[in-house]
Amino acid sequence: MTHSNEALRRRPLIGALRLFTRVLSLALVTFLATNAFAETKTLKLGHALPGGDHPYQQGAEKFAELVAAKTGGRYKIQVFNSGQLGGERDMVEGLKIGTIDLVIAASSIAGAVANDRKVFLLDIPYLFDDYDAITRVAEGNIGREMSRNWPKAGIRSLAFFIAGFHQLDNSKKPIVRPEDLQGLKIRAIPARSSTLMIESLGPSAVPMPFPEVYTGISQGTVDGFANSMTTIYTAKYYEVAPYVSITNHLVGMLNLLMSENVYQSLSAADRKAFDEAGLEAARFERNIYKEQDKKYLPLLKEKAKVNTNVDVAAFRKRVDGYLPKFVELVNEPGAKELADRLIKEGHKGK
């Protein structure tokens, strides 16, 4: 038999083998694509503020973008804004029982749910001089110390977000000195440290979930609340509370929280990805507030009665008398020393 005849006999076999290889390759590609799609896991992230260009929403979206990139698209973060998944406390409680995976919520609420009250010290008014001070605390030993025990309660803090430097916003009158707040009812976050913070400024504090605040002011349940210029403007609180006094008395501290059960279900590499994404998203979110402070002051002046002539020295003097009460509220060994370290770190730049 010649070589040419042998080659002729092999052609059908070679052709069949090539066809089989192509079919097998196509099947393998299809299987891998389908399997990759099936393994994409969607996690729910909730927060109480508006969507659009609000810093909470932008920070949440940045976190979702970073998680997708760092995990090769195997994890998708679905963001629910405007309290769609409940008030902040409800959402934080949901981390423990598995109804929600991630939450952006006030640090005081997270600390209350975790029964670890060191974080209450972050509600001391006039704690931070500037945004650099926030970063020193949030990313330093103090920030880590404040949330170190939360995983025992089923909650993990990935990073500190903020709600910006807070101003007093009310429906009645301009606020210049602490005495001007007497007789007013100002909303407080439903946590004892927030109530104490509002009381330290002068008014009566009324605990109220954030989604109820706009209606609460319009109906007279409360006379006002404290929040950033960004939130007051973007959520149009000036419509029901036109008197905005620039007090800069507090930086609203938040945590990007994750269910500890979900976190522990991740591989080591994915935990690292979530940790890194949280830190990067938090830096991104905090910087938005820094930029928007400059943006929204002139815009608020067009919509509201903005008072920049606040006697900050009088407010600071009143607040100083409440510092022991914050330490007592924490009621843990080392609380006084931690408060001293926190105050020192917050004012180190000046």
Side-chain angles (χ1 to χ4, degrees):
M1 182 179 293
T2 65
H3 289 294
S4 59
N5 288 339
E6 182 66 22
L8 287 172
R9 292 182 61 183
R10 289 182 179 178
R11 280 179 185 174
L13 181 60
I14 293 172
L17 185 59
R18 286 175 177 170
L19 178 61
F20 176 76
T21 302
R22 285 198 296 269
V23 171
L24 183 61
S25 298
L26 181 60
L28 182 60
V29 169
T30 303
F31 170 80
L32 291 174
T34 303
N35 196 49
F37 178 79
E39 287 183 358
T40 298
K41 186 172 180 59
T42 300
L43 302 179
K44 294 185 292 185
L45 186 159
H47 68 82
L49 273 290
D53 64 353
H54 192 279
Y56 282 31
Q57 182 71 13
Q58 291 191 62
E61 290 175 350
K62 173 59 72 171
F63 176 69
E65 172 190 321
L66 290 166
V67 166
K70 291 175 182 293
T71 65
R74 286 179 292 103
Y75 283 90
K76 175 184 177 182
I77 308 298
Q78 187 175 6
V79 179
F80 296 84
N81 55 53
S82 304
Q84 295 177 65
L85 302 181
E88 288 189 349
R89 187 171 187 114
D90 292 335
M91 288 190 286
V92 176
E93 293 280 5
L95 294 174
K96 299 168 67 175
I97 61 177
T99 57
I100 188 170
D101 305 300
L102 295 135
V103 178
I104 298 170
S107 299
S108 55
I109 291 178
V113 173
N115 195 29
D116 187 7
R117 296 171 293 191
K118 291 187 288 292
V119 76
F120 287 1
L121 297 173
L122 293 173
D123 277 339
I124 296 173
Y126 296 105
L127 192 58
F128 299 109
D129 285 333
D130 50 33
Y131 284 92
D132 289 340
I134 300 170
T135 297
R136 283 198 304 272
V137 169
E139 296 186 12
N141 291 332
I142 294 175
R144 286 187 288 272
E145 184 175 340
M146 286 186 163
S147 63
R148 183 174 294 138
N149 294 325
W150 294 2
K152 297 176 183 177
I155 300 167
R156 176 170 293 266
S157 174
L158 296 179
F160 278 98
F161 278 39
I162 62 170
F165 276 89
H166 279 199
Q167 323 304 334
L168 285 169
D169 184 26
N170 80 94
S171 62
K172 302 296 184 182
K173 59 183 178 179
I175 303 301
V176 177
R177 296 175 58 82
E179 303 91 87
D180 298 328
L181 285 164
Q182 291 181 7
L184 293 186
K185 297 173 293 184
I186 300 297
R187 176 261 178 174
I189 291 171
R192 180 63 186 130
S193 59
S194 179
T195 301
L196 182 60
M197 181 273 295
I198 293 296
E199 291 173 348
S200 74
L201 298 173
S204 298
V206 180
M208 179 179 288
F210 191 85
E212 299 175 16
V213 174
Y214 188 100
T215 301
I217 296 174
S218 64
Q219 294 179 347
T221 307
V222 292
D223 299 310
F225 79 129
N227 218 297
S228 67
M229 287 183 281
T230 296
T231 294
I232 294 169
Y233 186 86
T234 58
K236 300 183 178 180
Y237 279 91
Y238 54 79
E239 295 176 343
V240 292
Y243 294 98
V244 182
S245 297
I246 306 303
T247 52
N248 286 316
H249 63 276
L250 182 81
V251 175
M253 296 298 290
L254 313 164
N255 292 85
L256 171 59
L257 305 165
M258 187 170 186
S259 163
E260 181 66 11
N261 285 337
V262 175
Y263 185 84
Q264 292 299 332
S265 73
L266 304 176
S267 67
D270 286 340
R271 288 177 199 167
K272 183 173 183 289
F274 273 73
D275 290 339
E276 291 176 350
L279 181 61
E280 292 176 35
R283 289 173 176 170
F284 173 82
E285 190 261 3
R286 295 197 300 264
N287 190 62
I288 292 174
Y289 273 107
K290 183 177 181 180
E291 295 302 317
Q292 290 190 350
D293 278 353
K294 306 168 191 173
K295 173 182 176 180
Y296 285 116
L297 180 57
L299 292 177
L300 268 176
K301 287 180 177 179
E302 297 175 4
K303 300 285 187 179
K305 298 176 176 64
V306 178
N307 170 37
T308 58
N309 187 31
V310 174
D311 189 348
V312 172
F315 276 103
R316 285 181 179 270
K317 184 177 180 180
R318 178 181 169 85
V319 165
D320 284 345
Y322 279 75
L323 293 179
K325 295 185 179 183
F326 280 95
V327 173
E328 182 181 345
L329 185 63
V330 173
N331 192 28
E332 294 180 11
K336 175 62 167 61
E337 291 75 15
L338 181 60
D340 291 342
R341 287 168 53 205
L342 182 57
I343 291 168
K344 181 179 180 180
E345 199 70 15
H347 300 302
K348 184 185 287 185
K350 293 294 180 69

